[in-house]
Amino acid sequence: MTLARNLILAVALVTLLGGLWVAAESPPWWRLMLAIGVAAATHLLRQRLRVGPAVFYLAWGEAALVISLFLVPAGWVPLAVLCGAMVAVAGRALHFRRRPPETVPEVAGVLTIAAGVGSLIAVSISDPYASGLSGPVALGLVLAALGYVVTVTGLAHLMLRLRRGVSAGLLLRRTLVYKLTMLLGSLAVALPVAALARAEWRWLLVLPLALWLLHWSYTYRIRSRERRRMWARLAAATRSLNLSDEAAVAAAGARGALEVFAVGRAEVQLSRGTAGAQAWVADTRGVRPRDALPDPETRVCTAVPLLAAGQEVGVLRIYFPEQAGPGNGEYTALRVYADALAAALQDTATHEELHRLLERSVYDAQHDRLTGLLNRAALLARGETAVQLSPHGSPVALLLVDVDHFREINDTLGHAAGDQVLTVTAARMREHAQPGELLGRLGGDEFALLVPVPGRAALSEVQQSAVERGRELVRRLAAEADINGVTVAVESSVGVVVAPAGTADMAELLRRADAAVRQAKQGGGTVGWYDPRQDASSPDRPALLAELRAALDRNDELVLALQPVIELATGAPIGVEALARWRHPQRGLLPPAEFLRAVENSDLLGLFTEYVIDRALAVAAQWARRGSPLPVAVNLSARSLLDTRLPRVVSALLRKHRLPGRLLVVEITETVITSEQPGVLEALRNVRALGVRLSVDDFGTGYASLTLLTQVPLDEVKLDGEFVARAAESVEAAAIVRTTVELGREIGIRVVAEGVETEPQRTLLTRLGCTAGQGFHLAAPTGAEQIGELLRSLSAGAKRQRSSPAQTA
């Protein structure tokens, strides 16, 4: 910077002395004073232009150049321009009572060089001082003024780049746009005045008045244009704040402030955060946390508090490049932008708090509070998905651990000691479990470990390995532990069961493992394995599957029970769920619990799924033809989604019944969404691409995290009826309902409450913000023959309820 500055001063000195040396004659003193006065007047009228960390002043110096070329010889023009500019600097310093800026020497050098360039261009065509105004002189003056503008602008921006280290490209383009327009105004005023002053010097008195009028007209235009640009950028910056992460909003806020207010540095500091106050700074090098930046330069900082709901969530700081702060228009924009930024930060904080609360509530609902392991419901749900998604026929092992003499520990050492025993047992089993295995506490003193076995290992080998692991668990648990100051050895019994995937569900595996524990205790050992010959309660499933195959062929035994989904406020039906029932010739009407497990673990699943979707769409098609289309929901299992034929089957059935995809809702469980099978998510996306809606059933009872739910665009979540039943008595259940509803509203997903059995439950759900429900109190499941009449009755009741306020009024 010093070298460049000295070089400019040296060139300016050579220009000044060289012009005086080559001048043919000295002008009269009064002409020189007039030229200096004109230059001073034109430099007193200037317009400030701020871009980034730099401020550029636009003056009417080219007008002074044109007039000076008429008043004094060309060699004396640089001296007149220099003296006039310095008079203007001194006058401004005295008026505002401020020290002149430190850049005065280099600015003086730039003006001197530019005046010399302009004078040289003018006299190379025709000397105005000697010949007066003519065509060649006018052309020379236009080119001289243009050379002056280009030289001043180029050298000034070069000095700004060297002094502040910022790119001057944007500032150079914007300055030239404004400066070239000023050039036209300067020539339009200066050329006529110069021609008249040639005959009578008093015409020069018109120049300040004309320039003053032109200056304020042009100033208004520049300010209006800059104000429009600022508000346009404010709108764009405000839109960019629509983010879900607080740190991202703060970074976008700092970047937006940098662009909106055309400054070199802006900062957003948060008043809260997990790691205390945090700040993001934007400057010409980008946006980054403040800790990664050096200390800010000494500049005026305008700080605006970010207020949301009466609380300060942070501070917005704008670092202006000169002593003056923002103008009236800028301060208004700054306040508007600060309010938008505060609202965006508050929205992200609220969303994150809802997310954390619901995650915590769902976690608590799925985990045992004492040990932190999965509870019985979550273990059953996750285990069922793991069993269903295992390759058909691959071995699955389940180890059931029962702590022996646990009641004696409670009776002799107290319940606190019993809790410690359970905690120690859980910790040792957690150390024993391997990745991919599921560990949970079933309740009381029972623990379970599910071990899926990849590949096609022989069942006998897997059983032998599982028995060895059971014995290892017994040895680990038997290690001495300090329980309330008493050394205790935890004795346990382990039941082992191994079965091919697809032959038994999770509930059946637990039943068999429990039988194995009893066999171990009855035999006097610590580890027992399941022996079907000693299990008198083993169900007879092959006969049931054969009968079901025949029922699918006959097409009259498997029927649908249809249950409406109701709008809680009005009672209007907004959808229908299709529930499969089996009219068994000998056993009567069978609910799904008595045959669906067998279907899901058999090769009949594909045919059964297609049959149910076909029957459900047939009913929906009838409603559509009558002018009352309603979506119908069908439950699908994880294995159904792994069937590569499923998207083609759904597409074909929609075409068969001439229905749009939006009239079919596919209901899945949380465990299906979060399964590690890549084919599941792909199948859901393929089905979703048909326009079919996706719904998550029994929400809150599985083990899904909210982050994983975003992997598939969902339309609906159905809150499990257990939370609905407990919401009136349990703060935790009510919190889950409320936060689920609020989160659903935030991300555009409808929340349906299942199991609404009483009017108080309906009232409470409405108060908690839930808009839709399903349950016997609202509408019981009914057959396809009666569902039309039920829907018409519900719609009529809703219509009466909507019109009743108007009638009362």
Side-chain angles (χ1 to χ4, degrees), residues 128-148:
Y129 181 76
S131 58
L133 187 62
S134 62
V137 169
L139 176 62
L141 290 174
V142 171
L143 294 177
L146 182 62
Y148 175 87

Side-chain angles (χ1 to χ4, degrees), residues 28-44:
W29 66 269
W30 61 271
R31 281 178 169 261
L32 180 61
M33 291 299 102
L34 281 176
I36 293 175
V38 168
T42 58
H43 283 89
L44 282 173

Side-chain angles (χ1 to χ4, degrees), residues 53 163 269 335 375 382 402 499 515 517 573 628 664 672 711 721 804:
R163 175 177 290 276
Q269 182 164 349
R335 185 67 266 171
N375 59 24
R382 292 189 64 172
D402 181 83
V517 170
S628 304
L664 176 62
V672 171
Q711 293 184 4
S804 59

